[in-house]
Amino acid sequence: MDNRSAAVPTPRDRDAPAAESSAGENTAGGSTAGEATAAAATAAAATAAAHLAAFASHLRYERALSPHTVRAYVGDVGSLLGHLRGPDLAEDAPLELDALDLAGLRAWLADERGRGASRTTLARRAAAARTFTAWAARTGRAPTDAGARLASPRAHRRLPEVLRTDQAAAALAAAASGAAEGDPVALRDHLLLELLYATGVRVSELCGLDVDDVDDGRRTLRVLGKGAKERTVVFGAPAAAALDTWRREGRPALAVPSSPPALLLGARGGRLDPRIARKVVHDAAGAVPGAPDIAPHGLRHSAATHLLEGGADLRSVQELLGHASPATTQLYTHVSAERLRAIHDTAHPRA
C-alpha cells in the first residue's frame, strides 16, 4: 500500500494558473492598446497626401458618398491642409494635425473668401472641414475635433431655372417625333427625357438604373440615390410607353455581348454616360423657343415645381426627389410663389 498522500493544492497553487492567465491577458491587452496607439501616432504623422487618401477612402466606402461629392470634399480638404502646411513645409514632409484648431479653420475660410470664393463654395468647404476634423479625431490623427464649432456661411439660394409646362410638353413632343422614325438612339433619348421629367431623378441615378430596377406592373423605378439610399419613384403612361418601345426596339439594337444590365445604353453598347445625357437635355431644351438653357437638373427642378403647382404636398415631393431635408424641397415653393406673383402682376387689374 502506498502511504504517500496525494498532494492537495493550496489556495496559492489553485490561483496560480488564473493569475498567469490574467497576466497573459493583461500583456496581450497592453500589446493591443500599444499597437493601436502606435498606429494612431503613425497616422497622425502622415503626409498631407496620405491624410487625403485615407479621408477619400472613408468618404467613398464608409460614407458611400457620390464620386462628385468625394472629389469636392477632397479638394476642399486639400486646400485646408495646404493652408495648414504653409509655404515652409515640404509637401512630402509629415503633417501633424494637432496644430489644426478653430481659429485656423476660420483663418482658412477667410483666406478663401479673400480669393473670391462664393458663399455657396464657402459653405461647402466648411462642411468638408467639419467632416474631415471629426474623422481625424475619431481615427487618432488629431487630438480633438477642431471643426465641431465651425459655423457655415449662409449660402445664397438662387431660384433654379425651370421649364414652363408648355415648354416641357414641347420638348417631349419633339423627342417623341424623332423617336417615331425608329432610330435606337432617338428612342433612348426620348425615354431619357420622359423619365427625367416624370420622376425627377438625378441624371446619375437614371444612368445607374438596371433593367430589373423597373416594375412595370406598378410603374415604378428602384433608384439608388445619394449615400446609397434606395427609394422608389413612379412614372406615368407616356414614360411607360416610351420605356416599352425602347426595350422592344431600341435597346436590343444597341446591346452587344459585353453590355451591362443597364437600362440605358450608349451607342457602343455600354452604360450611358451622364455627360451624353446632359447633352441630350441641353439640345432638347435648346430646340424649344424661349426655353431656358437647362441641364438634367433643370428637368428635375421643373418636375418638382410642376408637381407643387399641380397640388402635390411638400412631403410627397421630398420623398420623390430623395431629399434628406424638407428645407431643400422648400426651395420649389418659392419658385411657384415667384410665378404666381408674376402672373398676378401681369393679370390682376389692381396689381
Side-chain angles (χ1 to χ4, degrees):
M1 179 176 179
D2 191 353
N3 293 326
R4 289 175 299 177
S5 60
V8 179
T10 66
R12 181 184 181 88
D13 294 330
R14 285 194 298 266
D15 291 343
E20 291 170 2
S21 174
S22 175
E25 290 174 1
N26 289 338
T27 302
S31 175
T32 302
E35 290 172 359
T37 302
T42 301
T47 64
H51 288 311
L52 284 176
F55 181 56
S57 294
H58 162 69
L59 297 177
R60 189 177 297 113
Y61 301 116
E62 296 180 33
R63 296 283 300 275
L65 298 182
S66 71
H68 177 77
T69 302
V70 172
R71 188 164 53 251
Y73 272 31
V74 169
D76 293 338
V77 173
S79 169
L80 170 61
L81 296 184
H83 178 85
L84 178 64
R85 185 177 61 240
D88 299 328
L89 188 65
E91 289 189 10
D92 57 353
L95 179 65
E96 296 187 4
L97 302 180
D98 54 0
L100 193 60
D101 56 16
L102 182 59
L105 292 172
R106 288 172 174 166
W108 167 63
L109 288 177
D111 185 57
E112 292 295 303
R113 183 176 182 180
R115 295 174 184 270
S118 67
R119 292 175 68 89
T120 301
T121 299
L122 291 174
R124 190 201 66 218
R125 290 189 176 172
R130 284 194 300 270
T131 302
F132 175 74
T133 58
W135 166 81
R138 191 169 60 252
T139 56
R141 293 171 181 265
T144 59
D145 180 2
R149 294 188 294 116
L150 180 66
S152 291
R154 189 174 181 85
H156 292 301
R157 307 207 70 176
R158 295 180 300 169
L159 297 180
E161 287 193 303
V162 297
L163 299 176
R164 300 193 309 265
T165 52
D166 61 308
Q167 291 172 336
L172 294 171
S177 177
E181 300 178 6
D183 176 71
V185 172
L187 291 172
R188 181 205 65 199
D189 292 350
H190 178 216
L191 174 62
L192 183 151
L193 293 169
E194 286 283 4
L195 287 179
L196 283 174
Y197 181 59
T199 64
V201 295
R202 301 175 180 91
V203 66
S204 58
E205 295 170 344
L206 181 66
C207 293
L209 289 174
D210 288 339
V211 173
D212 61 3
D213 288 326
V214 181
D215 185 333
D216 293 291
R218 296 192 301 159
R219 288 208 304 238
T220 61
L221 301 174
R222 183 176 63 238
V223 176
L224 194 63
K226 288 186 175 180
K229 294 179 181 177
E230 187 177 293
R231 72 182 190 279
T232 299
V233 297
V234 299
F235 55 89
L243 177 60
D244 181 60
T245 306
W246 159 249
R247 287 186 300 189
R248 280 189 296 103
E249 304 175 18
R251 194 180 186 282
L254 294 182
V256 295
S258 61
S259 289
L263 177 62
L264 297 176
L265 298 177
R268 297 183 180 180
R271 187 179 294 275
L272 182 65
D273 191 315
R275 290 173 295 183
I276 301 299
R278 291 188 184 95
K279 185 177 185 306
V280 170
V281 175
H282 172 79
D283 291 346
V288 177
D293 182 15
I294 62 169
H297 225 65
L299 275 184
R300 177 175 164 86
H301 293 320
S302 301
T305 302
H306 298 167
L307 281 167
L308 289 169
E309 288 178 341
D313 64 276
L314 195 66
R315 176 61 180 165
S316 297
V317 176
Q318 178 192 348
E319 290 186 6
L320 183 69
L321 298 180
H323 286 157
S325 168
T328 308
T329 318
Q330 190 79 33
L331 177 65
Y332 299 111
T333 63
H334 300 317
V335 177
S336 298
E338 288 294 325
R339 284 195 174 189
L340 183 60
R341 186 174 295 108
I343 293 171
H344 181 273
D345 290 345
T346 303
H348 198 282
R350 296 179 67 84

